[in-house]
Amino acid sequence: MEITKERKDNYTILKINAEKLDSFLSPALKAEFVVLSKEGVNRFLVDLTDVKYCDSSGLSALLVGNRLCNETNGKFVLSNMQEMVVKLIEISQLNKILNITNDLQSADKLLA
């Protein structure tokens, strides 16, 4: 499965198990955010360890998750991003609005 989810006590981890977060995978990620949000989940940790490439549709999916969390006073955190994904987020200046951590431990502290 390209997206796995793990529920923790106070947040849900969505791990992207693919090298590309693009137009093929982003609709499924958006759907996960919407379904989980309707179930009352408003704290997400998105683990991008395996993602080496992200396009505009991938960024759009991440922004949907962030928006859903913001609307319900939740928290949205990205973690373990590869260099190319970091550059894309910085170029698009999304690093100013997204919570980004270098590792899962830092993300866990941010979500606690």
Side-chain angles (χ1 to χ4, degrees), residues 8 24 31 37 53 60 72 74 83 87 101 108:
K8 296 286 190 177
F24 294 108
S37 180
Y53 171 81
S60 174
T72 58
E83 184 178 344
K87 285 182 182 179
T101 64
D108 185 65

Side-chain angles (χ1 to χ4, degrees), residues 54-56 59-60 63 85-98:
C54 181
D55 67 7
S56 61
L59 290 179
S60 174
L63 288 172
V85 178
V86 171
K87 285 182 182 179
L88 178 63
I89 287 177
E90 288 175 349
I91 287 169
S92 58
Q93 296 186 0
L94 295 176
N95 57 321
K96 296 178 181 178
I97 62 167
L98 295 172

